Amino acid sequence: MTDAPILPIDHPLMSEPSDPVTDFDGFIAELADEMFEVMDMAGGQGLAAVQIGVPLRLIVVDMPDAMGEQHRMALANPRIIARSDTMETREEGCLSLPDHELEVPRYTHIEVAFTHLTGEDDTLIAHGPLAVALQHEIDHTDGILFFDRVARLRRSRAAGYFAKPIPPQE
Ligand SMILES: [Zn+2]
């Protein structure tokens, strides 16, 4: 099942919110396995089910946290329930937009509620690259793309720029 194509970022499905996972039967574990496989083949560190054409709220990540500990996990119905006041901007990529890195502002740390593939509810607090990856993939489940976040920042920076007095001409 490794020939599952990754949808390009301008595919209409990529801008639609995905549906909640309600059945924790064999299908969801199979889907997660396939997502890990597609992510690994593509050399990525995160993937949302919608990126392989399945609009369900399921994401996989393989990312270190701020302490360097690797987290390889699948999260169903992930949602951010708490977040830091601070944001950081880092370079981010997306498997649906190969060879384009963008600087995207993200919360420094977040608390995420989610359901394991077993159907068990859980929460986790993420810092560092893991927090960034989770925010990126959770955005995919809401139909939000990483350049949407950049555009928002550019707009606020532009507003700040134009609010400043015009420097005198030399
Ligand atoms: Zn992405």
Side-chain angles (χ1 to χ4, degrees):
M1 290 163 84
T2 48
D3 58 346
I6 297 177
L7 295 186
I9 206 151
D10 59 353
H11 190 285
L13 210 50
M14 294 293 297
S15 301
E16 295 288 328
S18 294
D19 294 323
V21 177
T22 51
D23 286 337
F24 290 88
D25 53 17
F27 167 74
I28 205 74
E30 253 175 61
L31 178 59
D33 282 347
E34 183 176 357
M35 288 166 63
F36 277 120
E37 208 171 327
V38 169
M39 178 182 74
D40 290 345
M41 293 275 290
Q45 294 173 295
L47 188 77
V50 67
Q51 290 180 278
I52 57 167
V54 183
L56 284 176
R57 292 180 173 272
L58 179 67
I59 64 172
V60 296
V61 292
D62 191 355
M63 266 298 206
D65 61 22
M67 306 299 288
E69 192 191 329
Q70 198 71 20
H71 294 261
R72 185 177 172 88
M73 58 191 302
L75 301 87
N77 304 329
R79 60 189 196 284
I80 297 170
I81 54 172
R83 56 202 179 192
S84 55
D85 294 332
T86 51
M87 296 186 92
E88 275 173 46
T89 299
R90 294 171 191 251
E91 290 236 310
E92 239 173 78
C94 181
L95 291 179
S96 292
L97 189 66
D99 306 322
H100 283 81
E101 302 254 297
L102 289 178
E103 296 210 334
V104 184
R106 299 288 187 186
Y107 295 105
T108 312
H109 53 272
I110 53 171
E111 183 171 9
V112 176
F114 67 101
T115 307
H116 290 282
L117 297 178
T118 54
E120 190 187 335
D121 293 329
D122 204 351
T123 61
L124 72 84
I125 293 173
H127 299 258
L130 178 64
V132 174
L134 288 171
Q135 287 170 81
H136 180 112
E137 302 309 333
I138 291 171
D139 270 356
H140 277 310
T141 70
D142 289 325
I144 297 169
L145 304 169
F146 70 155
F147 52 61
D148 295 334
R149 299 286 187 198
V150 177
R152 225 161 278 175
L153 179 74
R154 284 220 183 106
R155 275 200 294 275
S156 66
R157 275 196 185 146
Y161 179 80
F162 288 115
K164 284 176 200 154
I166 297 163
Q169 299 287 328
E170 302 249 333

